[in-house]
Amino acid sequence: IFLDADKENYKVYYDLAMKGLLRKGGMIMADNTLCSLVYREGDMRRQKLHEFNEYVRNDPRVEQVVLTVREGISIIRALD
């Protein structure tokens, strides 16, 4: 599953994927996950991307790596 949509709803899309769209061992690629570094403080997108990254980091159902290419790509794998 590739996420490249409105940054404010990445967490919603992630939850939808984890609730049945993504099979065990499947992967989610989330684009622009380091964009929070680009937006100014106080910008909602900055906060929402930070919240998304923390949410995934704290989810015991997955493991992830963040590629620091351009605005960042998170590769998230559902654990068996």
Side-chain angles (χ1 to χ4, degrees):
I1 295 173
F2 186 71
L3 298 181
D4 188 20
D6 55 316
K7 310 312 177 221
E8 297 88 347
N9 287 306
Y10 265 27
K11 206 162 106 174
V12 172
Y13 304 138
Y14 174 81
D15 283 336
L16 287 171
M18 295 302 293
K19 287 181 182 171
L21 293 176
L22 189 68
R23 66 183 174 127
K24 288 183 181 178
M27 294 195 184
I28 298 171
M29 292 183 70
D31 200 20
N32 307 117
T33 52
L34 294 178
C35 270
S36 63
L37 304 174
V38 175
Y39 298 120
R40 294 183 182 200
E41 227 172 293
D43 189 310
M44 183 174 56
R45 293 170 294 186
R46 178 183 178 139
Q47 181 61 35
K48 291 295 186 179
L49 282 168
H50 176 71
E51 289 172 9
F52 171 75
N53 288 325
E54 288 295 306
Y55 188 68
V56 174
R57 183 175 73 96
N58 292 315
D59 188 345
R61 302 171 296 172
V62 300
E63 62 183 3
Q64 73 164 329
V65 64
V66 178
L67 303 178
T68 57
V69 178
R70 298 187 54 105
E71 290 91 15
I73 298 172
S74 291
I75 302 173
I76 305 156
R77 185 176 77 85
L79 299 174
D80 297 331

Coordinates of all heavy atoms in Angstrom, one line a residue:
I1 N 0.9 -1.2 0.0 CA 0.0 0.0 0.0 C 0.9 1.2 0.0 O 1.8 1.3 0.8 CB -0.9 0.0 1.2 CG1 -1.9 -1.2 1.2 CG2 -1.7 1.3 1.3 CD1 -2.7 -1.4 2.4
F2 N 0.6 2.2 -0.9 CA 1.4 3.4 -1.0 C 0.6 4.6 -0.5 O -0.5 4.9 -1.1 CB 1.9 3.6 -2.4 CG 2.8 4.8 -2.6 CD1 4.1 4.7 -2.1 CD2 2.4 5.9 -3.2 CE1 5.0 5.8 -2.2 CE2 3.3 7.0 -3.4 CZ 4.6 6.9 -2.9
L3 N 1.0 5.3 0.5 CA 0.3 6.5 1.0 C 1.0 7.7 0.5 O 2.2 7.9 0.7 CB 0.4 6.6 2.5 CG -0.3 5.5 3.3 CD1 -0.2 5.7 4.8 CD2 -1.8 5.3 2.9
D4 N 0.3 8.5 -0.3 CA 0.8 9.8 -0.8 C -0.4 10.7 -0.9 O -0.8 11.0 -2.1 CB 1.5 9.6 -2.1 CG 2.2 10.9 -2.5 OD1 2.4 11.8 -1.6 OD2 2.6 11.1 -3.7
A5 N -1.0 11.0 0.2 CA -2.3 11.8 0.1 C -2.2 13.0 1.1 O -1.1 13.4 1.4 CB -3.5 10.9 0.5
D6 N -3.3 13.5 1.5 CA -3.3 14.6 2.5 C -2.6 14.2 3.8 O -3.0 13.2 4.4 CB -4.7 15.2 2.7 CG -5.7 14.1 3.2 OD1 -5.7 13.0 2.6 OD2 -6.4 14.4 4.1
K7 N -1.6 14.9 4.1 CA -0.8 14.5 5.3 C -1.6 14.5 6.6 O -1.2 13.7 7.5 CB 0.4 15.4 5.4 CG 1.2 15.6 4.1 CD 1.6 14.4 3.4 CE 2.3 14.6 2.1 NZ 1.9 13.8 1.0
E8 N -2.6 15.2 6.7 CA -3.4 15.3 7.9 C -4.1 14.0 8.2 O -4.4 13.8 9.4 CB -4.4 16.5 7.8 CG -3.8 17.9 7.7 CD -3.5 18.3 6.2 OE1 -3.6 17.4 5.3 OE2 -3.3 19.4 6.0
N9 N -4.3 13.2 7.2 CA -5.0 11.9 7.4 C -4.2 10.7 7.3 O -4.8 9.6 7.2 CB -6.2 11.9 6.5 CG -7.3 12.8 6.9 OD1 -7.8 12.8 8.0 ND2 -7.7 13.7 6.0
Y10 N -2.9 10.8 7.3 CA -2.0 9.6 7.2 C -2.4 8.5 8.3 O -2.4 7.4 8.0 CB -0.6 10.0 7.3 CG 0.1 10.2 5.9 CD1 -0.6 10.6 4.8 CD2 1.5 10.0 5.8 CE1 0.0 10.8 3.6 CE2 2.1 10.2 4.6 CZ 1.4 10.6 3.5 OH 2.0 10.8 2.3
K11 N -2.6 9.0 9.5 CA -2.9 8.1 10.6 C -4.2 7.3 10.3 O -4.3 6.1 10.5 CB -3.0 8.9 11.9 CG -2.8 8.1 13.1 CD -2.4 9.0 14.3 CE -3.6 9.0 15.2 NZ -3.3 9.7 16.4
V12 N -5.2 8.0 9.7 CA -6.5 7.4 9.4 C -6.3 6.3 8.3 O -6.8 5.2 8.4 CB -7.5 8.4 8.9 CG1 -8.8 7.8 8.3 CG2 -7.9 9.4 10.0
Y13 N -5.5 6.6 7.3 CA -5.2 5.7 6.2 C -4.4 4.5 6.7 O -4.7 3.4 6.3 CB -4.5 6.4 5.0 CG -5.2 7.6 4.5 CD1 -4.5 8.7 4.1 CD2 -6.6 7.6 4.3 CE1 -5.1 9.8 3.6 CE2 -7.2 8.7 3.7 CZ -6.5 9.8 3.4 OH -7.1 10.9 2.9
Y14 N -3.5 4.8 7.6 CA -2.7 3.7 8.2 C -3.6 2.7 9.0 O -3.5 1.5 8.8 CB -1.7 4.3 9.1 CG -0.9 3.3 9.9 CD1 0.2 2.7 9.4 CD2 -1.2 3.1 11.3 CE1 0.9 1.7 10.1 CE2 -0.4 2.2 12.0 CZ 0.6 1.5 11.4 OH 1.4 0.6 12.2
D15 N -4.5 3.3 9.8 CA -5.4 2.4 10.5 C -6.3 1.6 9.6 O -6.6 0.4 9.9 CB -6.3 3.3 11.5 CG -5.6 3.7 12.7 OD1 -4.6 3.1 13.1 OD2 -6.0 4.7 13.3
L16 N -6.8 2.2 8.5 CA -7.6 1.4 7.6 C -6.8 0.3 7.0 O -7.3 -0.8 6.8 CB -8.1 2.3 6.4 CG -9.2 3.3 6.8 CD1 -9.4 4.3 5.7 CD2 -10.5 2.6 7.1
A17 N -5.6 0.5 6.7 CA -4.7 -0.5 6.1 C -4.5 -1.6 7.1 O -4.6 -2.8 6.8 CB -3.4 0.1 5.7
M18 N -4.3 -1.3 8.4 CA -4.0 -2.3 9.4 C -5.2 -3.0 9.8 O -5.1 -4.1 10.4 CB -3.4 -1.6 10.6 CG -2.0 -1.0 10.4 SD -0.8 -2.2 9.7 CE -0.6 -3.2 11.2
K19 N -6.4 -2.5 9.5 CA -7.7 -3.2 9.9 C -8.2 -4.1 8.9 O -9.3 -4.5 8.9 CB -8.8 -2.1 10.2 CG -8.5 -1.4 11.5 CD -9.6 -0.4 11.8 CE -9.3 0.3 13.1 NZ -10.2 1.4 13.4
G20 N -7.3 -4.5 7.9 CA -7.8 -5.5 7.0 C -7.3 -5.4 5.6 O -7.3 -6.4 4.8
L21 N -6.9 -4.2 5.2 CA -6.4 -4.1 3.8 C -5.0 -4.7 3.6 O -4.7 -5.2 2.6 CB -6.3 -2.6 3.4 CG -7.7 -1.9 3.3 CD1 -7.4 -0.4 3.0 CD2 -8.5 -2.5 2.2
L22 N -4.2 -4.7 4.7 CA -2.8 -5.1 4.6 C -2.8 -6.5 5.2 O -3.2 -6.8 6.3 CB -1.9 -4.2 5.4 CG -0.4 -4.4 5.3 CD1 0.0 -4.1 3.9 CD2 0.3 -3.6 6.3
R23 N -2.2 -7.5 4.5 CA -2.0 -8.8 5.0 C -0.7 -8.9 5.9 O 0.1 -8.0 5.8 CB -1.9 -9.8 3.9 CG -0.7 -9.6 3.0 CD -0.6 -10.6 1.8 NE 0.5 -10.2 1.0 CZ 1.4 -11.1 0.7 NH1 1.3 -12.3 1.0 NH2 2.4 -10.7 -0.1
K24 N -0.6 -9.9 6.7 CA 0.6 -10.1 7.5 C 1.8 -10.2 6.6 O 1.7 -10.9 5.5 CB 0.5 -11.4 8.3 CG -0.5 -11.2 9.5 CD -0.5 -12.4 10.3 CE -1.6 -12.2 11.4 NZ -1.7 -13.4 12.3
G25 N 2.8 -9.5 6.9 CA 4.0 -9.5 6.1 C 3.9 -8.4 5.0 O 4.9 -8.2 4.3
G26 N 2.8 -7.8 4.8 CA 2.6 -6.8 3.8 C 3.3 -5.5 4.2 O 3.7 -5.3 5.3
M27 N 3.4 -4.6 3.2 CA 4.1 -3.4 3.5 C 3.3 -2.1 3.1 O 2.5 -2.2 2.2 CB 5.4 -3.3 2.7 CG 6.4 -4.4 3.1 SD 8.0 -4.0 2.5 CE 8.9 -5.4 3.1
I28 N 3.5 -1.1 3.9 CA 3.0 0.2 3.6 C 4.2 1.1 3.3 O 5.2 1.1 4.1 CB 2.2 0.8 4.8 CG1 1.0 -0.1 5.2 CG2 1.8 2.2 4.6 CD1 0.3 0.3 6.5
M29 N 4.1 1.9 2.3 CA 5.1 2.9 2.0 C 4.4 4.2 2.1 O 3.4 4.5 1.4 CB 5.7 2.7 0.6 CG 6.5 1.5 0.5 SD 7.3 1.4 -1.1 CE 8.5 2.7 -1.1
A30 N 4.9 5.1 3.1 CA 4.3 6.4 3.3 C 5.3 7.4 2.8 O 6.4 7.5 3.3 CB 4.0 6.6 4.8
D31 N 4.8 8.2 1.8 CA 5.7 9.2 1.2 C 5.7 10.5 2.0 O 4.7 10.8 2.7 CB 5.2 9.5 -0.2 CG 6.2 10.2 -1.1 OD1 7.4 10.1 -0.7 OD2 5.9 10.8 -2.1
N32 N 6.7 11.2 2.0 CA 6.9 12.6 2.6 C 6.8 12.6 4.1 O 6.4 13.5 4.7 CB 5.8 13.5 2.0 CG 5.8 13.6 0.5 OD1 4.8 13.2 -0.1 ND2 6.9 14.0 -0.1
T33 N 7.3 11.5 4.7 CA 7.1 11.4 6.2 C 8.1 12.3 6.9 O 8.0 12.5 8.1 CB 7.3 10.0 6.7 OG1 8.4 9.4 6.1 CG2 6.0 9.1 6.2
L34 N 9.1 12.8 6.2 CA 10.0 13.8 6.9 C 9.7 15.2 6.6 O 10.4 16.1 6.9 CB 11.5 13.5 6.5 CG 12.0 12.1 7.0 CD1 13.5 11.9 6.6 CD2 11.9 12.1 8.5
C35 N 8.6 15.4 5.9 CA 8.1 16.8 5.5 C 7.9 17.7 6.8 O 7.8 18.9 6.6 CB 6.9 16.7 4.7 SG 7.3 16.6 2.9
S36 N 7.7 17.0 7.9 CA 7.4 17.9 9.1 C 8.6 18.8 9.3 O 8.5 19.8 10.0 CB 7.2 17.0 10.3 OG 8.3 16.2 10.6
L37 N 9.8 18.4 8.8 CA 11.0 19.3 8.9 C 10.9 20.5 8.0 O 11.6 21.5 8.2 CB 12.2 18.5 8.6 CG 12.4 17.2 9.5 CD1 13.6 16.4 9.0 CD2 12.6 17.6 11.0
V38 N 10.0 20.4 7.0 CA 9.9 21.5 6.0 C 8.9 22.5 6.4 O 9.1 23.7 6.1 CB 9.5 20.9 4.6 CG1 9.3 21.9 3.6 CG2 10.6 19.9 4.1
Y39 N 7.8 22.1 7.0 CA 6.7 23.0 7.4 C 7.1 23.8 8.6 O 7.8 23.4 9.5 CB 5.4 22.2 7.6 CG 4.9 21.5 6.5 CD1 4.8 20.1 6.5 CD2 4.6 22.1 5.3 CE1 4.3 19.4 5.4 CE2 4.1 21.4 4.2 CZ 3.9 20.1 4.3 OH 3.5 19.4 3.2
R40 N 6.6 25.0 8.6 CA 6.9 25.9 9.8 C 6.2 25.4 11.0 O 5.2 24.7 11.0 CB 6.4 27.3 9.4 CG 7.1 27.9 8.3 CD 6.7 29.3 8.0 NE 7.5 29.8 6.9 CZ 7.6 31.1 6.6 NH1 7.1 32.0 7.3 NH2 8.4 31.4 5.6
E41 N 6.7 25.8 12.1 CA 6.1 25.5 13.4 C 4.7 26.1 13.5 O 4.5 27.2 13.0 CB 7.0 26.1 14.6 CG 7.2 25.1 15.6 CD 8.2 25.5 16.7 OE1 9.3 25.7 16.4 OE2 7.7 25.7 17.8
G42 N 3.8 25.4 14.0 CA 2.4 25.8 14.0 C 1.6 25.3 12.8 O 0.4 25.4 12.9
D43 N 2.2 24.8 11.8 CA 1.5 24.3 10.6 C 1.0 22.9 11.0 O 1.7 22.1 11.5 CB 2.5 24.1 9.4 CG 1.8 23.8 8.1 OD1 1.0 22.8 8.1 OD2 2.1 24.4 7.1
M44 N -0.3 22.7 10.8 CA -1.0 21.5 11.2 C -0.4 20.3 10.5 O -0.3 19.2 11.1 CB -2.5 21.6 10.8 CG -3.3 20.3 11.3 SD -5.1 20.4 11.1 CE -5.2 20.7 9.3
R45 N 0.1 20.4 9.3 CA 0.7 19.3 8.6 C 2.0 18.8 9.3 O 2.2 17.6 9.4 CB 1.0 19.6 7.1 CG -0.2 19.8 6.3 CD 0.1 20.4 5.0 NE 0.7 21.8 5.2 CZ 1.0 22.6 4.2 NH1 0.8 22.3 3.0 NH2 1.4 23.8 4.5
R46 N 2.7 19.7 9.8 CA 3.9 19.4 10.6 C 3.6 18.5 11.8 O 4.2 17.5 12.0 CB 4.6 20.7 11.0 CG 5.9 20.4 11.8 CD 6.5 21.7 12.2 NE 7.6 21.5 13.1 CZ 8.8 22.2 13.0 NH1 8.9 23.1 12.1 NH2 9.7 21.9 13.8
Q47 N 2.6 19.0 12.5 CA 2.1 18.3 13.7 C 1.6 16.9 13.4 O 1.9 15.9 14.1 CB 1.1 19.1 14.5 CG 0.6 18.4 15.8 CD 1.8 18.2 16.8 OE1 2.7 19.0 16.9 NE2 1.7 17.1 17.5
K48 N 0.7 16.8 12.4 CA 0.1 15.6 12.0 C 1.1 14.5 11.5 O 1.0 13.3 11.8 CB -1.0 15.8 10.9 CG -2.2 16.5 11.5 CD -2.9 15.7 12.5 CE -4.2 16.4 13.0 NZ -4.9 15.6 14.0
L49 N 2.1 15.0 10.8 CA 3.2 14.0 10.3 C 4.0 13.5 11.5 O 4.4 12.4 11.6 CB 4.1 14.7 9.3 CG 3.5 14.8 7.9 CD1 4.3 15.7 7.0 CD2 3.4 13.4 7.2
H50 N 4.3 14.4 12.4 CA 5.0 14.0 13.6 C 4.2 13.0 14.4 O 4.7 12.0 14.8 CB 5.3 15.2 14.5 CG 6.0 14.9 15.8 ND1 7.3 14.4 15.9 CD2 5.5 14.8 17.1 CE1 7.5 14.1 17.1 NE2 6.5 14.4 17.9
E51 N 2.9 13.2 14.6 CA 2.0 12.3 15.2 C 1.9 11.0 14.5 O 2.0 9.9 15.2 CB 0.6 12.9 15.4 CG 0.5 14.0 16.3 CD -0.9 14.7 16.3 OE1 -1.8 14.2 15.6 OE2 -1.0 15.8 16.9
F52 N 1.9 11.0 13.2 CA 1.9 9.8 12.4 C 3.1 8.9 12.7 O 3.1 7.7 12.9 CB 1.7 10.1 10.9 CG 1.9 8.9 10.0 CD1 0.9 7.9 10.0 CD2 3.1 8.7 9.3 CE1 1.1 6.8 9.1 CE2 3.3 7.6 8.5 CZ 2.3 6.6 8.4
N53 N 4.3 9.6 12.6 CA 5.6 8.9 12.8 C 5.7 8.3 14.2 O 6.1 7.2 14.3 CB 6.7 9.9 12.5 CG 6.9 10.2 11.1 OD1 6.7 9.4 10.2 ND2 7.3 11.4 10.8
E54 N 5.2 9.0 15.2 CA 5.2 8.5 16.5 C 4.2 7.3 16.7 O 4.5 6.4 17.4 CB 4.9 9.6 17.5 CG 6.0 10.6 17.7 CD 7.2 10.0 18.3 OE1 7.1 9.4 19.4 OE2 8.3 10.1 17.7
Y55 N 3.1 7.4 16.1 CA 2.1 6.4 16.1 C 2.6 5.1 15.6 O 2.4 4.0 16.2 CB 0.8 6.9 15.4 CG -0.4 6.1 15.4 CD1 -1.1 6.0 16.6 CD2 -0.9 5.4 14.3 CE1 -2.3 5.2 16.7 CE2 -2.0 4.6 14.4 CZ -2.7 4.6 15.6 OH -3.9 3.8 15.7
V56 N 3.2 5.2 14.4 CA 3.8 4.0 13.8 C 4.9 3.4 14.6 O 5.0 2.2 14.9 CB 4.2 4.3 12.3 CG1 5.0 3.1 11.7 CG2 3.0 4.7 11.5
R57 N 5.8 4.3 15.1 CA 6.9 3.9 15.9 C 6.5 3.1 17.2 O 7.1 2.2 17.6 CB 7.7 5.1 16.3 CG 9.0 4.8 17.1 CD 9.8 6.0 17.4 NE 9.2 6.9 18.4 CZ 9.5 6.8 19.7 NH1 10.4 6.0 20.2 NH2 8.9 7.7 20.5
N58 N 5.4 3.5 17.7 CA 4.9 2.8 18.9 C 3.9 1.7 18.7 O 3.4 1.1 19.7 CB 4.2 3.9 19.8 CG 5.2 4.9 20.4 OD1 6.3 4.5 20.8 ND2 4.9 6.2 20.3
D59 N 3.7 1.3 17.4 CA 2.7 0.2 17.1 C 3.5 -1.1 17.1 O 4.4 -1.3 16.3 CB 2.1 0.5 15.7 CG 1.0 -0.5 15.4 OD1 0.9 -1.5 16.1 OD2 0.3 -0.2 14.4
P60 N 3.2 -2.0 18.1 CA 3.9 -3.3 18.2 C 3.6 -4.2 17.1 O 4.2 -5.3 16.9 CB 3.4 -3.8 19.5 CG 2.1 -3.2 19.8 CD 2.2 -1.9 19.1
R61 N 2.6 -3.9 16.2 CA 2.2 -4.8 15.1 C 3.1 -4.7 13.9 O 3.0 -5.5 13.0 CB 0.8 -4.5 14.7 CG -0.2 -4.7 15.8 CD -1.6 -4.2 15.3 NE -1.5 -2.7 15.0 CZ -2.5 -2.0 14.5 NH1 -3.6 -2.7 14.1 NH2 -2.4 -0.7 14.2
V62 N 4.0 -3.7 13.9 CA 4.8 -3.4 12.7 C 6.3 -3.1 13.1 O 6.6 -2.9 14.2 CB 4.3 -2.2 11.9 CG1 2.9 -2.4 11.5 CG2 4.4 -0.9 12.8
E63 N 7.1 -3.2 12.0 CA 8.5 -2.6 12.1 C 8.6 -1.7 11.0 O 7.9 -1.8 10.0 CB 9.5 -3.7 12.1 CG 9.5 -4.6 10.8 CD 10.5 -5.7 10.8 OE1 11.2 -5.9 11.9 OE2 10.7 -6.4 9.8
Q64 N 9.5 -0.7 11.1 CA 9.6 0.3 10.1 C 11.0 0.8 9.9 O 11.9 0.7 10.8 CB 8.7 1.5 10.4 CG 9.2 2.4 11.5 CD 8.5 3.7 11.5 OE1 8.1 4.3 10.5 NE2 8.4 4.3 12.7
V65 N 11.3 1.4 8.8 CA 12.5 2.1 8.5 C 12.1 3.3 7.7 O 11.2 3.3 7.0 CB 13.5 1.2 7.7 CG1 12.9 0.8 6.3 CG2 14.9 1.8 7.6
V66 N 12.9 4.4 7.9 CA 12.6 5.6 7.2 C 13.8 5.9 6.3 O 14.9 6.0 6.8 CB 12.4 6.8 8.2 CG1 12.1 8.1 7.4 CG2 11.2 6.5 9.1
L67 N 13.5 6.0 5.0 CA 14.6 6.4 4.1 C 14.6 7.9 4.0 O 13.6 8.6 3.8 CB 14.2 5.8 2.7 CG 14.0 4.3 2.6 CD1 13.7 3.9 1.2 CD2 15.3 3.6 3.1
T68 N 15.8 8.4 4.1 CA 16.0 9.9 4.1 C 16.2 10.4 2.7 O 17.1 11.3 2.5 CB 17.1 10.3 5.0 OG1 18.3 9.6 4.6 CG2 16.8 10.0 6.5
V69 N 15.4 9.9 1.8 CA 15.5 10.4 0.4 C 14.5 11.5 0.2 O 13.3 11.4 0.6 CB 15.1 9.2 -0.6 CG1 15.1 9.7 -2.0 CG2 16.1 8.1 -0.4
R70 N 14.9 12.6 -0.3 CA 14.1 13.8 -0.4 C 13.3 14.1 0.8 O 13.9 14.4 1.9 CB 13.2 13.7 -1.7 CG 14.1 13.5 -3.0 CD 13.2 13.5 -4.2 NE 12.4 14.7 -4.3 CZ 12.5 15.7 -5.1 NH1 13.6 15.8 -5.9 NH2 11.7 16.7 -5.1
E71 N 11.9 14.0 0.8 CA 11.1 14.4 2.0 C 10.9 13.2 2.9 O 10.1 13.2 3.8 CB 9.8 15.0 1.5 CG 9.9 16.4 1.0 CD 10.1 16.4 -0.5 OE1 9.9 15.3 -1.2 OE2 10.5 17.4 -1.1
G72 N 11.5 12.0 2.6 CA 11.4 10.9 3.4 C 10.3 9.9 3.0 O 9.2 10.3 2.5
I73 N 10.7 8.6 3.0 CA 9.7 7.5 2.7 C 9.8 6.5 3.9 O 10.9 6.0 4.2 CB 10.1 6.8 1.4 CG1 10.0 7.8 0.2 CG2 9.1 5.6 1.2 CD1 10.5 7.2 -1.1
S74 N 8.7 6.3 4.5 CA 8.6 5.3 5.6 C 8.2 3.9 4.9 O 7.2 3.9 4.2 CB 7.6 5.6 6.7 OG 8.1 6.7 7.4
I75 N 8.9 2.9 5.2 CA 8.6 1.5 4.8 C 8.2 0.8 6.1 O 9.0 0.7 7.0 CB 9.7 0.8 4.1 CG1 10.1 1.7 2.9 CG2 9.3 -0.6 3.7 CD1 11.4 1.1 2.2
I76 N 6.9 0.4 6.1 CA 6.3 -0.2 7.3 C 5.9 -1.6 7.0 O 5.2 -1.8 6.0 CB 5.1 0.6 7.8 CG1 5.5 2.1 8.0 CG2 4.5 0.0 9.0 CD1 4.4 3.1 7.9
R77 N 6.4 -2.6 7.8 CA 6.0 -4.0 7.5 C 5.2 -4.6 8.6 O 5.6 -4.4 9.8 CB 7.3 -4.8 7.3 CG 7.0 -6.3 6.9 CD 8.2 -7.1 6.6 NE 8.9 -7.5 7.8 CZ 8.6 -8.6 8.5 NH1 7.6 -9.4 8.1 NH2 9.3 -8.9 9.6
A78 N 4.1 -5.1 8.3 CA 3.2 -5.8 9.3 C 3.9 -7.1 9.7 O 4.4 -7.9 8.9 CB 1.9 -6.1 8.7
L79 N 4.1 -7.3 11.0 CA 4.7 -8.5 11.6 C 3.7 -9.6 11.5 O 2.5 -9.5 11.6 CB 5.1 -8.2 13.0 CG 6.1 -7.1 13.2 CD1 6.4 -6.9 14.7 CD2 7.5 -7.4 12.5
D80 N 4.3 -10.8 11.5 CA 3.5 -12.1 11.5 C 2.9 -12.3 12.8 O 3.4 -12.0 13.8 CB 4.4 -13.2 11.0 CG 4.9 -13.0 9.6 OD1 4.2 -12.4 8.8 OD2 5.9 -13.6 9.2

